[in-house]
Amino acid sequence: MNADTHIRLVTFGPSRLELVCAEQTEVLSLRRHEKLRGVLALLLCASERTLPRAELARALYGHEQEGRERLEDRLNNRSISRVHPCLTREVFFAEIDHVRVSLPAQERFWWDADAFLALVEEATCCDEPQRALLLWQQAEALRGGGTFLSDDVAAPWREQRIVRRKQEKIDRARRQMLRGLGLSVLASGGEEKAEEYLCEYFQEAPSDFHTLELVLRMAVSHQRPDLAIMFYELVEDKVRTSKNPFPIPLSVRNCVQELQSNHCPSHSQQGVLPGVDAQRIHSEFLEIRTSSHDLSFPPVQAVPLTLITSNPALWFSFKLHAWERLISQAYGRADMYAELQQQLNKEFDMVKPRSQSTDTEYYFSRRQALLAIASLPLSWLSESGWNKKTSSSRLLGEEFLPCCAASLTACWHLLRGHEFALVQDIVASSLPFLHALATQSMKQYQPLAANLAIQAYRLLGILALHRNHPEEQEDAFRQAVWISRFADDVSLQVSELISLGYHKSSQEALPLYHRALHLERYENASALVQARLYAELAVAAAMQREEKMAHWYEEQAHKRYPQNPERDPSFLFAEFSLSSFSMELGRMYLVLGQHFPEQRYAQQAQEIFTEVEYTSSVGRSERIRVESLNYQAQVALTLKEKELFQHFLEKGIDGARLLGSQKRWAEIQTVYQQACRLWKQESWLKAYRVLLPSGE
């Protein structure tokens, strides 16, 4: 092997080897070489990267004597040297004797985990704020690649103390990274990004009151008392609901009381609401003033901007006016309808509530504004007095369709909460007209009408699913697939075939998924939709006990999933946020765990489902969150962990009650009945009968 060539073991994300030389970098997957991967995992976690052979043999093969011969095979590196001629045993192992095995020196062999720990340690000790921030960001970029090598819960070396100790160091370093990033970004004025880091940090370390007090004072110094109070309420809620509540120190409580007394909610002192761009408001007032010469406006400086940007009702009245102007610009412009949905989706995301419980006035003002947009098609039909004799397809195409595009965008956002009945009524009222335009109208508007009709049928299918009406659900999804022949968006066509197959058996779902895979112009489907298709194929393959195929599909889904899914053109209707992606992978590992219990897939599913709570909330639906809770109860049942099952059963019941979803209730009843069969003599199960709708 060339002396200038180095080998790098990637210990975050999918395990792989990178052969790095001056000319190029060659990447080799370790998926097929699990035992060699296990040897490297143990060695990397060990002190000074050296371990006794006996410990390796016991960890990898269960028994020292049985494992010696097979371990020798791995150390001779026969399997991987067939993949690449340069990968001889000397590349990996500096020394192999009868007692110990060691890795080569660091300048020859690089690994991600140690680089991450070194960056965190250096950033923690750094006295220069800008330098520290750079180091924290480098650590974040490295950690963003995935999970540490020893996070593989199916691996036999998982329970080794050296691996657990290394994992604990990684977890502590990750929390340090979140804290460091949050404080550094907050100090530099990036309040929104700091909020993301610190919220995640306090979710995991709510008892770090020293950091909380520091954050409170920093937020106030940046004139963001709203941010300070939000952090305090988050920690207070976390502490109150923990199994062993502990008191918040008096110094922190005094700090918050002082904050609340000094920053009462007067209009002049309130923080700016989420999604408010004061500069943009100012420019929009200027535009109104300069575009109307016949009217006399007061000076722009006299407009009470602070009143608008701090009062939720006034703010959303202003936003509603801006959204309606945006919609009117799309009248008669068929090429703008997809762009209109994307723009409105961004607008609605910008004003999503920071918390579902802390600001009731903001929550309901936003809801009313979304409902006003959602009801635009009904308002248009009512005002125009539309009927087939007096109105033309052209008028419907030019004015009614933009209203429908906006309405469906608002409906997708309302559906992320639990506005099932309202969305049902709104969509069902306008769908007959969309269907008619999609199947009978002029060619100019037919593809667009079909695109919107597909979304409408899909919404009705989802709502029928949550009413637990499988026939209505099937009919709606089949209508969407049928009408897709008139559409021009292949991403929508793929999404509808996924919806049709999602709740079917693997034998019924796989032909639909393969049909989507072979659609004409499939390569034009968005990356997000392609990633979801492969994720569903992975679940279906797992149901068929095709272990290798499931992993291959999983790998393809990872390859296609975009780094910023919210920027994907299909993000609105694909319903495949980062939390949804994690849930599908969890489903795959749960099914594999049920078919291959010796592989410990169920533990891996447990870890993946746990991540759903901590992934980005952008685009996350309450329906998906509660579904994930029910799957976690299923995992706990598979692992026969009573306390964990009880915890997720209770959370699932609360979630189903909040949603009013018969489907989520049916999932809970199924898993509850399975628990009754598993733990027949357990009296605590009886207490939950009265909480289930049927009393079963």
Side-chain angles (χ1 to χ4, degrees), residues 102-347:
S102 305
L103 288 178
Q106 186 167 351
E107 58 268 16
R108 176 80 172 278
F109 202 100
W110 308 337
W111 43 85
D112 280 359
D114 283 2
F116 174 71
L117 291 172
L119 284 166
V120 170
E121 184 177 358
E122 188 179 353
T124 304
C125 301
C126 185
D127 295 328
E128 302 175 23
Q130 290 302 319
R131 170 69 177 160
L133 178 56
L134 179 62
L135 291 167
W136 289 125
Q137 289 170 338
Q138 289 174 350
E140 181 188 29
L142 197 57
R143 186 63 179 82
T147 53
F148 176 55
L149 187 61
S150 64
D151 285 346
D152 183 357
V153 295
W157 59 87
R158 169 74 179 181
E159 298 306 319
Q160 291 292 302
R161 281 179 298 173
I162 52 173
V163 177
R164 288 208 306 270
R165 283 199 297 267
K166 188 80 166 191
Q167 185 61 61
E168 287 166 5
K169 287 179 70 175
I170 292 284
D171 290 341
R172 283 197 300 272
R174 189 180 64 81
R175 287 192 291 271
Q176 280 181 276
M177 179 196 74
L178 289 170
R179 179 184 182 277
L181 277 169
L183 293 175
S184 298
V185 174
L186 186 59
S188 62
E191 290 90 349
E192 298 303 322
K193 195 65 177 173
E195 177 186 343
E196 181 182 325
Y197 292 129
L198 290 169
C199 280
E200 187 174 352
Y201 174 73
F202 286 126
Q203 286 284 354
E204 298 187 28
S207 60
D208 186 357
F209 299 119
H210 172 72
T211 298
L212 176 60
E213 192 169 350
L214 181 62
V215 167
L216 295 181
R217 299 194 183 282
M218 288 176 69
V220 172
S221 70
H222 285 278
Q223 299 183 341
R224 288 298 305 272
D226 60 316
L227 196 61
I229 292 171
M230 186 273 293
F231 283 129
Y232 175 76
E233 289 176 344
L234 186 152
V235 171
E236 184 186 39
D237 182 66
K238 195 75 176 173
V239 168
R240 187 179 64 252
T241 57
S242 65
K243 288 187 177 180
N244 300 304
F246 37 87
I248 296 177
L250 183 61
S251 61
V252 175
R253 283 182 281 141
N254 287 342
C255 179
V256 173
Q257 287 173 2
E258 179 186 348
L259 183 65
Q260 289 172 332
S261 62
N262 291 340
H263 297 273
C264 58
S266 65
H267 293 312
S268 60
Q269 292 176 315
Q270 276 185 320
V272 176
L273 296 169
V276 173
D277 185 341
Q279 189 62 39
R280 180 176 166 189
I281 296 175
H282 193 273
S283 63
E284 287 181 356
F285 271 112
L286 275 175
E287 182 183 337
I288 295 170
R289 183 172 181 265
T290 55
S291 61
S292 303
H293 300 291
D294 298 335
L295 297 175
S296 176
F297 283 89
V300 173
Q301 289 79 3
V303 176
L305 293 181
T306 55
L307 179 64
I308 292 175
T309 59
S310 60
N311 183 293
L314 288 175
W315 167 236
F316 277 105
S317 296
F318 183 84
K319 291 300 293 182
L320 183 59
H321 173 68
W323 295 341
E324 287 174 340
R325 285 202 319 173
L326 187 65
I327 296 161
S328 66
Q329 290 171 10
Y331 281 5
R333 296 280 306 278
D335 59 322
M336 282 187 63
Y337 296 162
E339 183 183 335
L340 172 64
Q341 281 201 292
Q342 290 178 34
Q343 184 62 38
L344 284 174
N345 183 40
K346 290 178 184 175
E347 288 278 333

Side-chain angles (χ1 to χ4, degrees), residues 376-390:
L376 279 177
L378 305 182
S379 300
W380 189 92
L381 290 169
S382 174
E383 290 173 8
S384 65
W386 184 86
N387 61 65
K388 291 183 179 179
K389 294 181 180 179
T390 61

Side-chain angles (χ1 to χ4, degrees), residues 481-497:
V481 170
W482 178 82
I483 213 166
S484 68
R485 69 182 67 185
F486 306 110
D488 61 0
D489 189 339
V490 70
S491 296
L492 273 165
Q493 296 174 42
V494 173
S495 293
E496 288 320 303
L497 287 166

